[in-house]
Short mmCIF file of all heavy atoms in Angstrom, two decimals:
data_model
loop_
_atom_site.label_atom_id
_atom_site.label_comp_id
_atom_site.label_asym_id
_atom_site.label_seq_id
_atom_site.Cartn_x
_atom_site.Cartn_y
_atom_site.Cartn_z
N MET O 285 11.67 8.24 0.16
CA MET O 285 10.28 8.11 -0.28
C MET O 285 9.47 7.46 0.84
O MET O 285 9.89 6.47 1.42
CB MET O 285 10.25 7.26 -1.55
CG MET O 285 8.86 7.02 -2.09
SD MET O 285 8.87 5.79 -3.42
CE MET O 285 9.32 6.79 -4.82
N LYS O 286 8.32 8.06 1.13
CA LYS O 286 7.44 7.50 2.16
C LYS O 286 6.14 7.04 1.52
O LYS O 286 5.66 7.63 0.58
CB LYS O 286 7.12 8.56 3.21
CG LYS O 286 8.22 8.77 4.22
CD LYS O 286 7.69 9.58 5.38
CE LYS O 286 8.79 10.06 6.29
NZ LYS O 286 9.50 8.97 6.95
N LEU O 287 5.60 5.98 2.10
CA LEU O 287 4.33 5.44 1.63
C LEU O 287 3.31 5.66 2.73
O LEU O 287 3.59 5.43 3.91
CB LEU O 287 4.53 3.95 1.37
CG LEU O 287 3.48 3.16 0.64
CD1 LEU O 287 3.17 3.73 -0.73
CD2 LEU O 287 3.96 1.71 0.49
N SER O 288 2.13 6.12 2.37
CA SER O 288 1.09 6.29 3.39
C SER O 288 -0.25 5.83 2.85
O SER O 288 -0.48 5.79 1.63
CB SER O 288 1.02 7.75 3.85
OG SER O 288 0.70 8.57 2.77
N ILE O 289 -1.13 5.50 3.77
CA ILE O 289 -2.44 4.99 3.40
C ILE O 289 -3.54 5.83 4.04
O ILE O 289 -3.41 6.23 5.20
CB ILE O 289 -2.58 3.51 3.82
CG1 ILE O 289 -3.95 3.00 3.44
CG2 ILE O 289 -2.29 3.30 5.29
CD1 ILE O 289 -4.10 1.53 3.54
N ASP O 290 -4.56 6.08 3.26
CA ASP O 290 -5.75 6.77 3.76
C ASP O 290 -6.74 5.67 4.17
O ASP O 290 -7.39 5.06 3.31
CB ASP O 290 -6.33 7.66 2.65
CG ASP O 290 -7.56 8.41 3.12
OD1 ASP O 290 -8.19 7.99 4.11
OD2 ASP O 290 -7.89 9.42 2.47
N ARG O 291 -6.83 5.40 5.46
CA ARG O 291 -7.65 4.26 5.92
C ARG O 291 -9.14 4.47 5.69
O ARG O 291 -9.90 3.51 5.60
CB ARG O 291 -7.39 3.99 7.40
CG ARG O 291 -5.99 3.57 7.64
CD ARG O 291 -5.83 2.48 8.68
NE ARG O 291 -4.45 2.03 8.63
CZ ARG O 291 -4.04 0.96 7.98
NH1 ARG O 291 -4.88 0.17 7.39
NH2 ARG O 291 -2.76 0.66 7.96
N GLU O 292 -9.55 5.72 5.58
CA GLU O 292 -10.97 5.99 5.29
C GLU O 292 -11.34 5.50 3.89
O GLU O 292 -12.46 5.08 3.66
CB GLU O 292 -11.23 7.50 5.35
CG GLU O 292 -10.99 8.13 6.70
CD GLU O 292 -12.12 7.81 7.66
OE1 GLU O 292 -13.28 8.06 7.30
OE2 GLU O 292 -11.82 7.28 8.74
N ARG O 293 -10.37 5.57 2.99
CA ARG O 293 -10.65 5.17 1.59
C ARG O 293 -10.43 3.69 1.35
O ARG O 293 -11.10 3.10 0.51
CB ARG O 293 -9.70 5.91 0.65
CG ARG O 293 -10.09 7.33 0.38
CD ARG O 293 -9.04 7.92 -0.56
NE ARG O 293 -9.35 9.28 -0.88
CZ ARG O 293 -9.82 9.67 -2.07
NH1 ARG O 293 -9.96 8.82 -3.03
NH2 ARG O 293 -10.10 10.93 -2.27
N CYS O 294 -9.44 3.11 2.03
CA CYS O 294 -9.04 1.74 1.73
C CYS O 294 -10.20 0.77 1.95
O CYS O 294 -10.85 0.79 2.98
CB CYS O 294 -7.86 1.33 2.60
SG CYS O 294 -7.36 -0.38 2.34
N GLU O 295 -10.43 -0.07 0.92
CA GLU O 295 -11.52 -1.05 1.00
C GLU O 295 -10.98 -2.46 1.19
O GLU O 295 -11.74 -3.42 1.14
CB GLU O 295 -12.34 -1.01 -0.30
CG GLU O 295 -12.81 0.36 -0.70
CD GLU O 295 -14.19 0.68 -0.16
OE1 GLU O 295 -14.77 -0.18 0.50
OE2 GLU O 295 -14.66 1.81 -0.40
N GLY O 296 -9.67 -2.58 1.33
CA GLY O 296 -9.08 -3.90 1.58
C GLY O 296 -9.10 -4.84 0.40
O GLY O 296 -9.11 -6.06 0.57
N TYR O 297 -9.08 -4.30 -0.82
CA TYR O 297 -9.07 -5.18 -2.00
C TYR O 297 -7.78 -5.97 -2.12
O TYR O 297 -7.76 -7.05 -2.67
CB TYR O 297 -9.25 -4.37 -3.29
CG TYR O 297 -10.55 -3.64 -3.41
CD1 TYR O 297 -10.58 -2.28 -3.65
CD2 TYR O 297 -11.75 -4.33 -3.32
CE1 TYR O 297 -11.77 -1.60 -3.78
CE2 TYR O 297 -12.95 -3.66 -3.45
CZ TYR O 297 -12.96 -2.29 -3.68
OH TYR O 297 -14.13 -1.63 -3.81
N GLY O 298 -6.68 -5.38 -1.64
CA GLY O 298 -5.42 -6.11 -1.64
C GLY O 298 -4.66 -6.10 -2.96
O GLY O 298 -3.64 -6.77 -3.08
N LEU O 299 -5.14 -5.33 -3.94
CA LEU O 299 -4.40 -5.27 -5.21
C LEU O 299 -3.01 -4.70 -5.01
O LEU O 299 -2.05 -5.11 -5.66
CB LEU O 299 -5.17 -4.42 -6.22
CG LEU O 299 -6.53 -4.95 -6.62
CD1 LEU O 299 -7.23 -3.96 -7.55
CD2 LEU O 299 -6.41 -6.30 -7.27
N CYS O 300 -2.90 -3.75 -4.11
CA CYS O 300 -1.60 -3.14 -3.82
C CYS O 300 -0.63 -4.18 -3.26
O CYS O 300 0.53 -4.23 -3.65
CB CYS O 300 -1.76 -1.98 -2.85
SG CYS O 300 -2.60 -2.47 -1.32
N ALA O 301 -1.13 -5.01 -2.35
CA ALA O 301 -0.27 -6.02 -1.73
C ALA O 301 0.16 -7.07 -2.75
O ALA O 301 1.27 -7.61 -2.66
CB ALA O 301 -0.99 -6.67 -0.55
N GLU O 302 -0.70 -7.34 -3.73
CA GLU O 302 -0.30 -8.26 -4.79
C GLU O 302 0.77 -7.64 -5.66
O GLU O 302 1.68 -8.30 -6.14
CB GLU O 302 -1.49 -8.62 -5.68
CG GLU O 302 -2.40 -9.63 -5.05
CD GLU O 302 -3.64 -9.90 -5.91
OE1 GLU O 302 -3.60 -9.68 -7.14
OE2 GLU O 302 -4.63 -10.31 -5.32
N SER O 303 0.67 -6.32 -5.82
CA SER O 303 1.60 -5.62 -6.69
C SER O 303 2.95 -5.37 -6.01
O SER O 303 3.98 -5.36 -6.67
CB SER O 303 0.95 -4.30 -7.09
OG SER O 303 1.77 -3.57 -7.92
N ALA O 304 2.95 -5.18 -4.69
CA ALA O 304 4.19 -4.88 -3.96
C ALA O 304 4.23 -5.65 -2.64
O ALA O 304 4.20 -5.06 -1.56
CB ALA O 304 4.29 -3.37 -3.71
N PRO O 305 4.34 -6.99 -2.73
CA PRO O 305 4.29 -7.80 -1.50
C PRO O 305 5.46 -7.54 -0.57
O PRO O 305 5.39 -7.87 0.61
CB PRO O 305 4.29 -9.25 -2.03
CG PRO O 305 4.83 -9.17 -3.41
CD PRO O 305 4.46 -7.82 -3.94
N GLU O 306 6.53 -6.96 -1.09
CA GLU O 306 7.68 -6.66 -0.22
C GLU O 306 7.44 -5.43 0.64
O GLU O 306 8.20 -5.15 1.56
CB GLU O 306 8.97 -6.50 -1.05
CG GLU O 306 9.01 -5.29 -1.97
CD GLU O 306 8.43 -5.55 -3.36
OE1 GLU O 306 7.24 -5.93 -3.47
OE2 GLU O 306 9.17 -5.32 -4.33
N LEU O 307 6.35 -4.69 0.36
CA LEU O 307 6.10 -3.44 1.09
C LEU O 307 4.87 -3.48 1.99
O LEU O 307 4.73 -2.65 2.89
CB LEU O 307 5.93 -2.28 0.10
CG LEU O 307 7.16 -1.92 -0.72
CD1 LEU O 307 6.80 -0.88 -1.76
CD2 LEU O 307 8.26 -1.42 0.19
N MET O 308 3.94 -4.41 1.72
CA MET O 308 2.66 -4.38 2.46
C MET O 308 1.99 -5.74 2.39
O MET O 308 2.30 -6.55 1.52
CB MET O 308 1.75 -3.30 1.86
CG MET O 308 1.45 -3.51 0.41
SD MET O 308 0.82 -2.04 -0.41
CE MET O 308 2.30 -1.08 -0.62
N HIS O 309 1.08 -5.95 3.33
CA HIS O 309 0.31 -7.19 3.32
C HIS O 309 -1.05 -6.93 3.98
O HIS O 309 -1.22 -5.92 4.68
CB HIS O 309 1.06 -8.32 4.04
CG HIS O 309 1.22 -8.09 5.51
ND1 HIS O 309 2.25 -7.32 6.03
CD2 HIS O 309 0.48 -8.50 6.57
CE1 HIS O 309 2.13 -7.29 7.36
NE2 HIS O 309 1.07 -7.99 7.70
N LEU O 310 -1.97 -7.83 3.74
CA LEU O 310 -3.27 -7.76 4.44
C LEU O 310 -3.15 -8.62 5.69
O LEU O 310 -2.62 -9.73 5.63
CB LEU O 310 -4.39 -8.29 3.55
CG LEU O 310 -4.74 -7.46 2.32
CD1 LEU O 310 -5.89 -8.13 1.56
CD2 LEU O 310 -5.13 -6.03 2.67
N ASP O 311 -3.67 -8.13 6.82
CA ASP O 311 -3.63 -8.95 8.03
C ASP O 311 -4.82 -9.91 8.03
O ASP O 311 -5.61 -9.97 7.07
CB ASP O 311 -3.55 -8.07 9.29
CG ASP O 311 -4.85 -7.31 9.57
OD1 ASP O 311 -5.88 -7.60 8.92
OD2 ASP O 311 -4.81 -6.43 10.44
N ASP O 312 -4.97 -10.66 9.12
CA ASP O 312 -6.01 -11.69 9.18
C ASP O 312 -7.41 -11.12 9.05
O ASP O 312 -8.35 -11.83 8.69
CB ASP O 312 -5.90 -12.47 10.50
CG ASP O 312 -4.62 -13.28 10.57
OD1 ASP O 312 -4.01 -13.49 9.50
OD2 ASP O 312 -4.23 -13.68 11.67
N GLU O 313 -7.55 -9.83 9.37
CA GLU O 313 -8.88 -9.21 9.25
C GLU O 313 -9.07 -8.45 7.94
O GLU O 313 -10.06 -7.73 7.78
CB GLU O 313 -9.10 -8.27 10.43
CG GLU O 313 -9.81 -8.97 11.58
CD GLU O 313 -9.16 -8.73 12.90
OE1 GLU O 313 -8.82 -7.57 13.17
OE2 GLU O 313 -8.98 -9.70 13.64
N GLY O 314 -8.11 -8.57 7.04
CA GLY O 314 -8.23 -7.89 5.77
C GLY O 314 -7.85 -6.42 5.81
O GLY O 314 -8.18 -5.67 4.90
N GLU O 315 -7.16 -6.01 6.88
CA GLU O 315 -6.67 -4.63 6.98
C GLU O 315 -5.29 -4.56 6.36
O GLU O 315 -4.43 -5.41 6.63
CB GLU O 315 -6.51 -4.23 8.45
CG GLU O 315 -7.79 -3.96 9.16
CD GLU O 315 -8.17 -2.49 9.13
OE1 GLU O 315 -7.30 -1.64 9.41
OE2 GLU O 315 -9.32 -2.22 8.81
N LEU O 316 -5.07 -3.54 5.58
CA LEU O 316 -3.76 -3.39 4.95
C LEU O 316 -2.74 -2.92 5.99
O LEU O 316 -2.98 -1.98 6.75
CB LEU O 316 -3.84 -2.38 3.81
CG LEU O 316 -2.53 -2.24 3.04
CD1 LEU O 316 -2.23 -3.51 2.25
CD2 LEU O 316 -2.56 -1.04 2.13
N VAL O 317 -1.58 -3.59 6.00
CA VAL O 317 -0.48 -3.21 6.89
C VAL O 317 0.70 -2.82 6.02
O VAL O 317 1.11 -3.59 5.14
CB VAL O 317 -0.07 -4.41 7.78
CG1 VAL O 317 1.11 -4.02 8.67
CG2 VAL O 317 -1.25 -4.89 8.61
N LEU O 318 1.21 -1.61 6.24
CA LEU O 318 2.44 -1.19 5.54
C LEU O 318 3.63 -1.68 6.34
O LEU O 318 3.72 -1.44 7.54
CB LEU O 318 2.47 0.33 5.42
CG LEU O 318 1.32 0.98 4.67
CD1 LEU O 318 1.49 2.50 4.64
CD2 LEU O 318 1.21 0.44 3.25
N ASP O 319 4.53 -2.38 5.67
CA ASP O 319 5.66 -2.98 6.38
C ASP O 319 6.84 -2.03 6.54
O ASP O 319 7.74 -2.31 7.32
CB ASP O 319 6.10 -4.26 5.66
CG ASP O 319 4.98 -5.31 5.67
OD1 ASP O 319 4.40 -5.53 6.74
OD2 ASP O 319 4.69 -5.87 4.60
N HIS O 320 6.85 -0.93 5.79
CA HIS O 320 7.95 0.04 5.89
C HIS O 320 7.36 1.44 5.80
O HIS O 320 6.63 1.73 4.87
CB HIS O 320 8.93 -0.09 4.71
CG HIS O 320 9.50 -1.45 4.53
ND1 HIS O 320 10.62 -1.88 5.20
CD2 HIS O 320 9.11 -2.48 3.75
CE1 HIS O 320 10.89 -3.13 4.83
NE2 HIS O 320 9.99 -3.52 3.97
N ASP O 321 7.70 2.30 6.76
CA ASP O 321 7.33 3.71 6.61
C ASP O 321 8.14 4.34 5.49
O ASP O 321 7.63 5.11 4.68
CB ASP O 321 7.61 4.48 7.90
CG ASP O 321 6.52 4.23 8.92
OD1 ASP O 321 5.43 3.81 8.51
OD2 ASP O 321 6.79 4.44 10.11
N GLU O 322 9.41 4.02 5.51
CA GLU O 322 10.33 4.58 4.52
C GLU O 322 10.58 3.49 3.48
O GLU O 322 11.01 2.39 3.81
CB GLU O 322 11.64 4.95 5.23
CG GLU O 322 12.58 5.80 4.43
CD GLU O 322 12.09 7.23 4.22
OE1 GLU O 322 11.54 7.82 5.18
OE2 GLU O 322 12.26 7.73 3.11
N VAL O 323 10.24 3.80 2.23
CA VAL O 323 10.40 2.80 1.17
C VAL O 323 11.86 2.70 0.78
O VAL O 323 12.49 3.71 0.45
CB VAL O 323 9.56 3.21 -0.07
CG1 VAL O 323 9.78 2.25 -1.22
CG2 VAL O 323 8.09 3.30 0.30
N PRO O 324 12.45 1.50 0.82
CA PRO O 324 13.84 1.36 0.36
C PRO O 324 13.93 1.78 -1.11
O PRO O 324 13.00 1.52 -1.88
CB PRO O 324 14.14 -0.14 0.51
CG PRO O 324 13.03 -0.69 1.35
CD PRO O 324 11.86 0.23 1.21
N PRO O 325 15.02 2.45 -1.49
CA PRO O 325 15.13 2.92 -2.88
C PRO O 325 14.89 1.82 -3.91
O PRO O 325 14.24 2.05 -4.94
CB PRO O 325 16.57 3.44 -2.98
CG PRO O 325 16.95 3.76 -1.57
CD PRO O 325 16.17 2.82 -0.68
N SER O 326 15.31 0.62 -3.62
CA SER O 326 15.15 -0.46 -4.59
C SER O 326 13.67 -0.82 -4.78
O SER O 326 13.31 -1.44 -5.78
CB SER O 326 15.93 -1.70 -4.13
OG SER O 326 15.42 -2.11 -2.88
N ALA O 327 12.83 -0.45 -3.83
CA ALA O 327 11.40 -0.80 -3.93
C ALA O 327 10.56 0.37 -4.44
O ALA O 327 9.33 0.28 -4.46
CB ALA O 327 10.88 -1.26 -2.57
N GLY O 328 11.20 1.44 -4.89
CA GLY O 328 10.46 2.60 -5.39
C GLY O 328 9.49 2.26 -6.51
O GLY O 328 8.32 2.64 -6.45
N PRO O 329 9.93 1.52 -7.54
CA PRO O 329 8.99 1.18 -8.62
C PRO O 329 7.82 0.34 -8.12
O PRO O 329 6.68 0.53 -8.57
CB PRO O 329 9.87 0.38 -9.60
CG PRO O 329 11.26 0.87 -9.33
CD PRO O 329 11.31 1.15 -7.84
N ALA O 330 8.06 -0.56 -7.17
CA ALA O 330 6.96 -1.38 -6.63
C ALA O 330 5.97 -0.48 -5.89
O ALA O 330 4.75 -0.66 -6.00
CB ALA O 330 7.52 -2.45 -5.69
N ALA O 331 6.47 0.49 -5.13
CA ALA O 331 5.59 1.40 -4.40
C ALA O 331 4.72 2.19 -5.37
O ALA O 331 3.51 2.35 -5.16
CB ALA O 331 6.42 2.35 -3.53
N GLU O 332 5.34 2.66 -6.46
CA GLU O 332 4.57 3.44 -7.43
C GLU O 332 3.52 2.58 -8.12
O GLU O 332 2.41 3.03 -8.40
CB GLU O 332 5.51 4.10 -8.43
CG GLU O 332 6.12 5.33 -7.79
CD GLU O 332 7.36 5.84 -8.52
OE1 GLU O 332 7.64 5.37 -9.62
OE2 GLU O 332 8.01 6.72 -7.93
N SER O 333 3.86 1.33 -8.37
CA SER O 333 2.86 0.50 -9.04
C SER O 333 1.73 0.16 -8.08
O SER O 333 0.57 0.07 -8.47
CB SER O 333 3.51 -0.71 -9.71
OG SER O 333 3.49 -1.81 -8.91
N ALA O 334 2.02 0.00 -6.78
CA ALA O 334 0.94 -0.24 -5.80
C ALA O 334 -0.01 0.95 -5.75
O ALA O 334 -1.23 0.78 -5.68
CB ALA O 334 1.55 -0.49 -4.42
N VAL O 335 0.54 2.16 -5.81
CA VAL O 335 -0.30 3.37 -5.82
C VAL O 335 -1.21 3.36 -7.05
O VAL O 335 -2.40 3.67 -6.97
CB VAL O 335 0.59 4.63 -5.81
CG1 VAL O 335 -0.22 5.89 -6.11
CG2 VAL O 335 1.29 4.76 -4.45
N ARG O 336 -0.64 2.98 -8.19
CA ARG O 336 -1.40 3.01 -9.45
C ARG O 336 -2.54 1.99 -9.46
O ARG O 336 -3.60 2.26 -10.02
CB ARG O 336 -0.48 2.73 -10.64
CG ARG O 336 0.15 3.97 -11.22
CD ARG O 336 0.68 3.72 -12.63
NE ARG O 336 1.58 2.58 -12.68
CZ ARG O 336 2.88 2.63 -12.41
NH1 ARG O 336 3.44 3.78 -12.10
NH2 ARG O 336 3.63 1.56 -12.47
N VAL O 337 -2.32 0.81 -8.87
CA VAL O 337 -3.36 -0.23 -8.99
C VAL O 337 -4.50 -0.04 -8.00
O VAL O 337 -5.55 -0.65 -8.16
CB VAL O 337 -2.80 -1.67 -8.83
CG1 VAL O 337 -1.80 -1.97 -9.93
CG2 VAL O 337 -2.22 -1.92 -7.47
N CYS O 338 -4.32 0.77 -6.97
CA CYS O 338 -5.40 0.93 -5.98
C CYS O 338 -6.61 1.57 -6.64
O CYS O 338 -6.52 2.69 -7.15
CB CYS O 338 -4.94 1.78 -4.80
SG CYS O 338 -6.30 2.01 -3.62
N PRO O 339 -7.76 0.88 -6.65
CA PRO O 339 -8.93 1.42 -7.35
C PRO O 339 -9.58 2.62 -6.66
O PRO O 339 -10.39 3.31 -7.27
CB PRO O 339 -9.90 0.23 -7.38
CG PRO O 339 -9.45 -0.69 -6.30
CD PRO O 339 -7.99 -0.45 -6.09
N VAL O 340 -9.22 2.87 -5.40
CA VAL O 340 -9.85 3.99 -4.70
C VAL O 340 -8.83 5.07 -4.29
O VAL O 340 -9.12 5.94 -3.48
CB VAL O 340 -10.64 3.50 -3.45
CG1 VAL O 340 -11.83 2.66 -3.88
CG2 VAL O 340 -9.75 2.72 -2.49
N ALA O 341 -7.63 4.98 -4.86
CA ALA O 341 -6.58 5.98 -4.62
C ALA O 341 -6.31 6.21 -3.13
O ALA O 341 -6.24 7.34 -2.67
CB ALA O 341 -6.93 7.30 -5.32
N ALA O 342 -6.17 5.10 -2.41
CA ALA O 342 -5.95 5.21 -0.95
C ALA O 342 -4.48 5.28 -0.58
O ALA O 342 -4.16 5.59 0.57
CB ALA O 342 -6.60 4.02 -0.25
N LEU O 343 -3.60 4.98 -1.52
CA LEU O 343 -2.16 4.99 -1.22
C LEU O 343 -1.51 6.21 -1.84
O LEU O 343 -1.89 6.63 -2.93
CB LEU O 343 -1.50 3.74 -1.80
CG LEU O 343 -1.68 2.42 -1.06
CD1 LEU O 343 -1.09 1.29 -1.88
CD2 LEU O 343 -1.04 2.46 0.32
N LYS O 344 -0.50 6.71 -1.12
CA LYS O 344 0.28 7.85 -1.65
C LYS O 344 1.75 7.60 -1.42
O LYS O 344 2.13 7.04 -0.38
CB LYS O 344 -0.08 9.12 -0.90
CG LYS O 344 -1.38 9.71 -1.28
CD LYS O 344 -1.39 11.21 -1.00
CE LYS O 344 -2.70 11.82 -1.43
NZ LYS O 344 -3.67 11.90 -0.39
N VAL O 345 2.57 8.02 -2.35
CA VAL O 345 4.00 8.07 -2.10
C VAL O 345 4.43 9.51 -2.20
O VAL O 345 3.84 10.31 -2.91
CB VAL O 345 4.84 7.22 -3.09
CG1 VAL O 345 4.75 5.76 -2.81
CG2 VAL O 345 4.47 7.53 -4.51
N GLY O 346 5.42 9.86 -1.45
CA GLY O 346 5.91 11.23 -1.50
C GLY O 346 7.18 11.39 -0.74
O GLY O 346 7.68 10.44 -0.18
S1 SF4 E 298 -5.50 -1.59 -3.31
FE1 SF4 E 298 -6.21 0.28 -2.26
S2 SF4 E 298 -8.16 -0.29 -1.37
FE2 SF4 E 298 -7.06 -2.17 -1.84
S3 SF4 E 298 -5.96 -2.74 0.03
FE3 SF4 E 298 -4.60 -1.54 -1.25
S4 SF4 E 298 -4.84 0.56 -0.51
FE4 SF4 E 298 -6.60 -0.59 0.21
#
């Protein structure tokens, strides 16, 4: 499973990072950083919940 971000859409709200802190974080400038291109199987549910909480649908798993 891969996680990707649409930077044009992302507004830096950080809800995804709160939902899946093991997969992503906001940097000092409020830009979202994905910590893994390939989501470890154990973090699949966290990745899906991060996708769900994003208010602008900027995250995708596939
Ligand atoms: S919740 Fe969506 S808009 Fe907010 S930082 Fe995450 S990807 Fe970006």
Side-chain angles (χ1 to χ4, degrees):
M285 179 189 277
K286 281 193 191 296
L287 191 57
S288 61
I289 179 168
D290 181 339
R291 297 219 170 262
E292 298 284 307
R293 282 180 180 254
C294 177
E295 308 268 359
Y297 297 125
L299 297 176
C300 55
E302 282 176 24
S303 180
E306 67 272 58
L307 294 173
M308 59 197 77
H309 66 276
L310 292 180
D311 71 10
D312 293 343
E313 267 133 45
E315 286 266 313
L316 184 68
V317 178
L318 300 180
D319 297 313
H320 304 273
D321 281 340
E322 192 71 40
V323 176
S326 60
E332 281 163 10
S333 94
V335 168
R336 271 198 307 275
V337 298
C338 178
V340 294
L343 283 173
K344 284 205 178 94
V345 284

